[in-house]
Amino acid sequence: MKRLILLTIAVCGLMVTTLGETVAQATTSKRVWTIEEIMSERLAPRAKKKPSYCQGGVFKPCVCAKDVPTVVQYRPAVKECGRKAAVILSGKYKDVFSVVVRDRENKDRWPPAGINGCTPYERDVLALLKCSAFKVQAIIPVENEAGDAEVHCLGASGYSTLFKRVTRMTAKLSDVPNSTNDPLARWCLAGPTKPLN
């Protein structure tokens, strides 16, 4: 009987230890970056080559994640953005008109019901940025000796369920008034929880 009790205690202890290790691994895998870390991780420009395109289908394809210019970065959680996801743009993309993330259906407004207490009028008629997790909520300018940048803080963490279908970023390079032909750049992500560049 004593052996059975000791064996049960040992097995339970092993299960608790394993569960604790699993929880610890899940917590540590959800890294949060600081802007300083992101700037230090910025890659040197790659030699110019013709990029490959992915995720075509019904919508225009985006530049495959491996070919996205190194001046375009994505992080699923940035401390200065309230631990929410961010797109970091520098070089020729630093002063784009706007940037958003999108899902496989090319949606840039999510969730459909809105967030941040938005009313249907604010969400649908005014199309306020604060009503979508996929849109930029704040921009943080960064001065850096290796090149200035802008951190575009999004509306939710890349680790959240709101971002589970996010696959790409779209930047409007400039705004052409009264036109649907604004110049756009489309970049694929490696995944909503994975850093890019």
Side-chain angles (χ1 to χ4, degrees):
M1 187 69 170
K2 284 184 178 178
R3 278 182 157 175
L4 181 59
I5 291 171
L6 288 173
L7 182 61
T8 303
I9 291 170
V11 169
C12 289
L14 181 61
M15 288 171 62
V16 169
T17 302
T18 305
L19 179 61
E21 288 170 358
T22 303
V23 170
Q25 287 169 356
T27 304
T28 56
S29 67
K30 293 188 176 182
R31 180 178 169 190
V32 176
W33 283 258
T34 64
I35 291 175
E36 185 178 345
E37 289 171 326
I38 296 166
M39 293 297 101
S40 69
E41 293 172 356
R42 196 164 33 172
L43 302 169
R46 296 187 190 104
K48 287 189 178 181
K49 66 170 189 168
K50 190 173 181 180
S52 52
Y53 289 85
C54 299
Q55 300 178 23
V58 179
F59 306 104
K60 290 188 177 178
C62 48
V63 173
C64 296
K66 66 181 178 59
D67 293 335
V68 171
T70 55
V71 291
V72 176
Q73 298 171 277
Y74 167 83
R75 295 294 181 273
V78 176
K79 182 181 177 185
E80 292 86 348
C81 291
R83 302 171 77 91
K84 294 178 180 173
V87 177
I88 303 91
L89 301 174
S90 54
K92 70 177 185 175
Y93 296 113
K94 185 177 84 66
D95 297 312
V96 300
F97 181 77
S98 65
V99 65
V100 298
V101 291
R102 296 177 181 269
D103 64 13
R104 284 199 178 275
E105 296 174 21
N106 211 38
K107 292 181 189 146
D108 67 350
R109 293 181 190 173
W110 192 262
I115 56 170
N116 297 320
C118 282
T119 65
Y121 180 76
E122 290 174 316
R123 181 192 72 218
D124 302 330
V125 180
L126 299 178
L128 298 181
L129 299 177
K130 73 173 187 170
C131 300
S132 172
F134 290 1
K135 293 186 179 280
V136 172
Q137 310 294 306
I139 299 172
I140 302 171
V142 179
E143 291 184 6
N144 186 276
E145 58 189 29
D148 295 346
E150 286 188 340
V151 177
H152 297 256
C153 302
L154 300 166
S157 165
Y159 302 121
S160 71
T161 56
L162 288 173
F163 266 51
K164 70 180 178 182
R165 298 173 119 185
V166 167
T167 60
R168 56 169 62 198
M169 303 175 284
T170 303
K172 186 188 286 191
L173 305 179
S174 62
D175 186 42
V176 180
N178 304 315
S179 172
T180 56
N181 293 319
D182 297 309
L184 299 175
R186 298 172 181 87
W187 304 300
C188 298
L189 290 172
T193 64
K194 296 178 181 175
L196 179 70
N197 288 338

